[in-house]
Amino acid sequence: MTQFTDLGLDKLLLKALADEGYSQPTPIQTQAIPGVMDGRDLLGIAQTGTGKTAAFALPILHRLAADRKPAPRRGCRVLILAPTRELATQIGESFKTYGRYLGFSTAVIFGGVKYGAQIKALAAGIDVLVATPGRLLDHLQEKMAVLSQTEIFVLDEADQMLDLGFLVPIRKIVAHLPKQRQNLFFSATMPNEIGKLAGELLKDPLKVSVAPQATTVERVNQQVLYIESPRKRALLAELFEDKAFTRVIVFTRTKRGADRVARSLEQVGVEAASIHGDKSQGQRERALAQFKAGEVRALVATDIAARGIDIDSVTHVVQYELPNVPEAYVHRIGRTARAGANGSAVSFCADDERNLLRDIQKVTRQTIPTFDRRNDRQLGAMTAAMPEPAGVRAERPAHPPRDSHAKRGGRPQAKSGQGKGSGGGGGAAKTGFRGPKRGGGGGGEAAPARRTGVWSNR
Ligand code: AMP
């Protein structure tokens, strides 16, 4: 087994890794670090949870340390583009963690916040700049940022960039970079347009592909619960009766849905926070910090807001609605299987989501165990009596669930072991759900970025 000490990394990096308790590189780190240390371009097919951030941060920091020079004014030695503010912040934090003994400056720049602090940070020059594309492009167009002396360029989560419409801004940013540079390119999937972009950017890249989607999928204990849409709320409340659901990310398809689900959880006494694109930066940071600190049990999120969020010890992922794109299913459940750990994922599937479930099973090449909770009278006996949370549109059906549902499938395993209307702690039995097999706690979460939209360690 390769150890970090076998890779020839700077001693001060090894010291920081030892602080983190990391001794063995993950597969992507073993494969990527030596080539990147040598200055090669890299094409990495990997998703979050594989250790990909350290796979590029460690060799980059090693190279910076081996060739110390002042950061260029208004520019940076290393530029990392990330699709979301959360991911950008996390990458910045990783650089700070691994580079804590090296003394390089790091800054994170993203949109939705004032420009002043960012312009100030850029003016002095930054060793490692992590940015979202839109805001960086603004700074470039205003000539507040100059990339002509950037030595290393990293594009992270390229497929997500495509989804968010960032390909044009990225091409514009790349036009500001010098021809002579090292390029690292990461994507979880390789749609055509991303393959094309990689082809344009990379020269003779080292190709590393890890954790093909099935690998993460295999580590997660998954199940699907068939349920009528209007009763999802009650089913979710029931899941939280299980004390094992201590740190849970709940996915919804829409921003409004996220708020609604968070409110309905609060209503049954489950502390919850929601996170999505309509929330201010401050609100998002607060929600994440509360979740990390264990002050709220549930973080209700949309796909984009949650993508890349790296929170250790997420016990369960609940998909309140199945995603429209099957790949998102894999990303979602990956939130609970961090760095080789196992996790648990439960997905609600209403009748009109059956086709989405079929697509997911096709893409992940697996049959997910299903349990039928439709027409389950025990479910929601308590919550049904409660009024809808404030500001919530009633979602009750115009007519009661059809009988035919009960005949199809008739919830077999799910009911085994369920006491008659048993209360607290019954969730596991009702769902047939096994808790995640995890080692010790996560610990060591870094503080969220400050509200200025830029932080640097100068
Ligand atoms: P990433 O794929 O970069 O989002 O990393 C996923 C998680 O794995 C992060 O919490 C990292 O801190 C952690 N991690 C990265 N490398 C290692 C390693 N070699 N050993 C243990 N944990 C790691």
Side-chain angles (χ1 to χ4, degrees):
M1 266 296 199
T2 311
Q3 303 289 311
F4 276 119
T5 44
D6 301 331
L7 298 175
L9 286 165
D10 190 289
K11 281 203 178 55
L12 295 175
L13 284 171
L14 294 178
K15 190 166 175 225
L17 284 168
D19 289 354
E20 292 305 295
Y22 300 166
S23 55
Q24 266 176 14
T26 64
I28 190 167
Q29 293 163 1
T30 308
Q31 294 173 58
I33 289 173
V36 178
M37 277 168 74
D38 284 347
R40 280 193 72 177
D41 279 8
L42 177 82
L43 175 61
I45 311 293
Q47 55 197 55
T48 49
T50 56
K52 75 178 158 75
T53 314
F56 63 81
L58 293 169
I60 285 175
L61 287 164
H62 176 90
R63 283 177 71 75
L64 291 185
D67 177 26
R68 286 187 180 268
K69 56 173 93 148
R73 288 193 168 277
R74 281 184 290 155
C76 56
R77 294 188 68 189
V78 179
L79 171 66
I80 297 145
L81 291 184
T84 62
R85 330 173 214 200
E86 281 78 15
L87 184 60
T89 302
Q90 269 172 208
I91 293 171
E93 283 166 358
S94 292
F95 270 89
K96 276 211 304 195
T97 302
Y98 303 132
R100 70 165 69 108
Y101 299 115
L102 291 169
F104 294 120
S105 56
T106 309
V108 180
I109 275 178
F110 45 71
V113 291
K114 293 201 174 110
Y115 286 78
Q118 301 184 347
I119 291 170
K120 210 166 141 207
L122 279 164
I126 296 155
D127 291 310
V128 179
L129 174 64
V130 191
T132 53
R135 177 53 67 92
L136 178 62
L137 196 57
D138 288 351
H139 287 300
L140 286 167
Q141 282 162 352
E142 293 300 316
K143 305 220 175 345
M144 292 301 165
V146 178
L147 298 177
S148 57
Q149 298 195 57
T150 300
E151 298 157 52
I152 304 174
F153 171 57
V154 182
L155 186 63
D156 198 15
E157 306 233 340
D159 52 354
Q160 177 77 345
M161 296 280 200
L162 171 74
D163 290 352
L164 293 172
F166 281 149
L167 284 205
V168 171
I170 287 170
R171 286 201 164 87
K172 287 187 181 161
I173 290 169
V174 168
H176 286 260
L177 292 166
K179 292 241 154 23
Q180 185 67 30
R181 60 172 199 261
Q182 183 179 10
N183 299 288
L184 313 179
F185 190 105
F186 290 88
S187 194
T189 55
M190 263 296 151
N192 286 344
E193 278 183 85
I194 290 304
K196 195 164 154 256
L197 182 66
E200 287 164 26
L201 290 178
L202 301 169
K203 286 198 198 93
D204 182 30
L206 173 68
K207 292 188 182 125
V208 174
S209 173
V210 293
Q213 300 188 335
T215 314
T216 309
V217 167
E218 280 158 13
R219 289 206 314 269
V220 180
N221 168 24
Q222 301 162 65
Q223 61 178 244
V224 168
L225 305 181
Y226 292 135
I227 185 71
E228 302 88 345
S229 289
R231 302 207 310 153
K232 285 184 173 181
R233 200 162 69 93
L235 186 57
L236 186 67
E238 183 198 86
L239 289 181
F240 276 89
E241 286 170 18
D242 184 349
K243 299 276 184 294
F245 280 64
T246 49
R247 193 176 288 196
V248 184
I249 301 186
V250 181
F251 282 95
T252 60
R253 246 189 325 241
T254 64
K255 301 171 197 171
R256 263 189 54 199
D259 286 335
R260 200 154 54 206
V261 169
R263 280 197 299 266
S264 76
L265 279 172
E266 293 275 358
Q267 210 187 23
V268 292
V270 176
E271 316 80 35
S274 61
I275 175 168
H276 54 67
D278 282 352
K279 297 269 179 183
S280 71
Q281 182 59 19
Q283 287 171 321
R284 287 157 69 137
E285 283 169 14
R286 240 183 339 270
L288 269 180
Q290 286 178 323
F291 186 60
K292 284 183 180 186
E295 289 161 21
V296 298
R297 271 170 88 193
L299 184 69
V300 190
T302 55
D303 288 293
I304 286 175
R307 180 82 183 245
I309 289 178
D310 174 23
I311 295 172
D312 289 337
S313 308
V314 170
T315 56
H316 298 79
V317 163
V318 177
Q319 310 207 26
Y320 195 82
E321 286 137 345
L322 289 176
N324 287 327
V325 205
E327 285 79 10
Y329 176 88
V330 180
H331 291 304
R332 287 173 171 194
I333 69 171
R335 305 296 89 215
T336 179
R338 313 296 295 165
N342 294 298
S344 300
V346 58
S347 306
F348 294 173
C349 180
D351 280 353
D352 60 1
E353 296 175 290
R354 290 291 185 103
N355 54 339
L356 300 176
L357 179 62
R358 262 192 301 277
D359 291 348
I360 288 164
Q361 313 222 56
K362 224 188 299 167
V363 165
T364 58
R365 284 185 235 109
Q366 60 167 358
T367 309
I368 307 166
T370 56
F371 299 86
D372 198 342
R373 296 299 306 275
R374 293 168 306 174
N375 284 340
D376 181 343
R377 297 248 163 88
Q378 300 292 349
L379 173 65
M382 263 168 33
T383 39
M386 291 182 175
E388 297 281 350
V392 173
R393 193 165 38 91
E395 280 184 317
R396 301 205 183 289
H399 46 79
R402 281 169 289 147
D403 274 356
S404 57
H405 288 161
K407 291 183 191 114
R408 270 194 281 135
R411 56 182 141 86
Q413 315 92 308
K415 295 295 283 180
S416 62
Q418 183 195 356
K420 288 243 163 13
S422 62
K430 285 173 201 165
T431 57
F433 211 66
R434 282 177 286 123
K437 296 166 258 155
R438 297 183 69 93
E445 301 288 1
R450 287 198 300 269
R451 202 89 43 86
T452 53
V454 56
W455 55 253
S456 78
N457 58 353
R458 275 181 189 288

